[in-house]
Amino acid sequence: MNQMRTGSGGPPIPPPSIRDVEEAAGRISGVALRTPLLRYKTMEPGEPVWLKAECLQPAGSFKLRGVLNWGRSLSAAERERGLSTQSAGNTAQALGYVANLLGVPARSLLPDSAPRVKVDGVRSYGVTPVPVPFSALMDYVFDRGWEQEPYSYLNPWGDRAMLAGSGTIGLELLDELSELSAVYIPVGGGGLVSGIGSVIKELRPAVEVVGVQSTACPSLGAALEAGRPAWVQAAATICDGTSVPVVVDEMYPLVSSVVDRVVLVSEDDVRTAIARLALGNKLVVEGSGAMSLAAALGDRRDGPVACILSGGSIGAERLAEILTTRAG
């Protein structure tokens, strides 16, 4: 993998329009949940922290919104070709869920470092996993490898239907929270923050959009500091779903236009957030999903804030270890 490359040479990804997002909301209704907005339970004083529990989606993460919107937008001929994507795990699980609804096969490239719980989850939905080294996966993206394949391919970061599906979370937040000062959103490839952020900046621009990344993989922070996409050396992290070492050229203009600032969270803080969510709010959340709460709890809050709990794919052994060591 040539780390000098930061994109495939395609045009910048445009933001989804409000109409795109509203149409997506109608298209996914009845399958994807309008997930509950729960108040974070704490005895500490201060402005409320609200939790958007995307971990409760049928396929376990927010990805279902975008994948379902995309799948239901395909023609019959496109569906019959089978569905394909590349994924750290959650997109592939959502792809399998949608493929089952549509009655078509699906497969996904996965980094060979993906946690077993996510690989097993992918298989459980009938998706054929294709494990590859992460460098090969990024080469596939940069070389547009899907163009040489028969499948209908879903770009998990920048497909317009994916962004519109993610944007439905923004519509729900603004509908339920008349007073909102900031929203904390996990950032990997940038699709989630772009979808939600586009809606918020269009409808209520005073709300601060905070991108959250792990200190182990601060690719967006590095890009904003450099003023362009920049590679970072990713370290091992519990936040595997957001471990993307570069925000690609095609996504960077959109991501940078909607994110007001980036907050980095430590492994220790994320583990604490996972335990607090499980014990206090009875929510099982993976590392990437708990990043938003970890950031909000360590940040100065000037009003009510919302945290996107993006997914719940965490192994039983890891969860048990965290609860055992963080129970106090």
Side-chain angles (χ1 to χ4, degrees):
M1 176 176 60
N2 182 353
Q3 291 195 4
M4 296 302 292
R5 290 194 295 175
T6 53
S8 62
I13 302 296
S17 69
I18 298 302
R19 181 175 179 179
D20 290 336
V21 178
E22 291 173 340
E23 289 178 350
R27 199 172 286 124
I28 69 177
S29 178
V31 176
L33 299 180
R34 181 181 177 114
T35 51
L37 190 64
L38 307 170
R39 185 162 179 161
Y40 172 63
K41 294 181 180 179
T42 178
M43 299 300 293
E44 300 171 5
E47 295 288 351
V49 174
W50 295 94
L51 309 171
K52 185 62 169 167
E54 288 297 297
C55 52
L56 299 179
Q57 288 289 357
S61 82
F62 78 95
K63 296 285 190 177
L64 179 62
R65 295 175 183 260
V67 177
L68 181 60
N69 187 42
W70 172 77
R72 284 184 163 174
S73 301
L74 297 175
S75 67
E78 289 171 328
R79 295 176 186 177
E80 289 172 4
R81 289 162 52 189
L83 311 182
S84 177
T85 192
Q86 88 266 352
S87 169
N90 284 338
T91 303
Q93 291 183 66
L95 190 77
Y97 191 96
V98 172
N100 287 332
L101 288 177
L102 300 177
V104 298
R107 71 114 202 211
S108 178
L109 271 66
L110 296 171
D112 55 13
S113 59
R116 179 177 174 180
V117 64
K118 289 189 175 180
V119 178
D120 290 346
V122 167
R123 287 198 177 97
S124 74
Y125 285 109
V127 178
T128 300
V130 183
V132 297
F134 188 81
S135 59
L137 190 150
M138 294 304 293
D139 283 339
Y140 178 85
V141 173
F142 293 150
D143 294 335
R144 303 177 68 86
W146 59 87
E147 293 180 347
Q148 312 305 317
E149 298 175 345
Y151 308 95
S152 290
Y153 170 76
L154 171 63
N155 178 347
W157 299 334
D159 186 275
R160 193 175 184 88
M162 280 291 285
L163 295 180
S166 295
T168 61
I169 299 172
L171 286 183
E172 293 173 15
L173 281 178
L174 297 184
D175 181 52
E176 295 185 47
L177 289 175
S178 58
E179 294 184 9
L180 180 64
S181 65
V183 56
Y184 292 80
I185 307 171
V187 179
L192 178 61
V193 76
S194 293
I196 297 174
S198 294
V199 169
I200 288 176
K201 292 307 178 185
E202 178 70 21
L203 298 180
R204 208 180 298 175
V207 175
E208 186 181 35
V209 175
V210 183
V212 184
Q213 292 197 301
S214 165
T215 54
C217 191
S219 54
L220 178 56
L224 293 175
E225 184 175 344
R228 55 180 172 76
W231 279 88
V232 298
Q233 185 64 47
T237 175
I238 195 174
C239 307
D240 56 274
T242 53
S243 189
V244 181
V246 63
V247 177
V248 299
D249 292 336
E250 292 82 359
M251 285 297 298
Y252 178 74
L254 177 54
V255 175
S256 61
S257 72
V258 300
V259 172
D260 293 299
R261 61 188 174 96
V262 174
V263 172
L264 302 182
V265 293
S266 70
E267 298 292 295
D268 190 64
D269 288 343
V270 172
R271 286 172 172 268
T272 297
I274 290 171
R276 290 184 176 183
L277 287 166
L279 298 174
N281 276 86
K282 314 308 177 188
L283 292 170
V284 174
V285 181
E286 66 186 88
S288 296
M291 289 166 58
S292 56
L293 178 63
L297 295 180
D299 211 12
R300 179 177 60 84
R301 303 191 297 277
D302 295 324
V305 303
C307 299
I308 310 301
L309 308 183
S310 54
S313 295
I314 186 170
E317 291 183 1
R318 172 168 282 177
L319 179 60
E321 179 265 321
I322 290 173
L323 293 181
T324 299
T325 58
R326 306 280 164 163

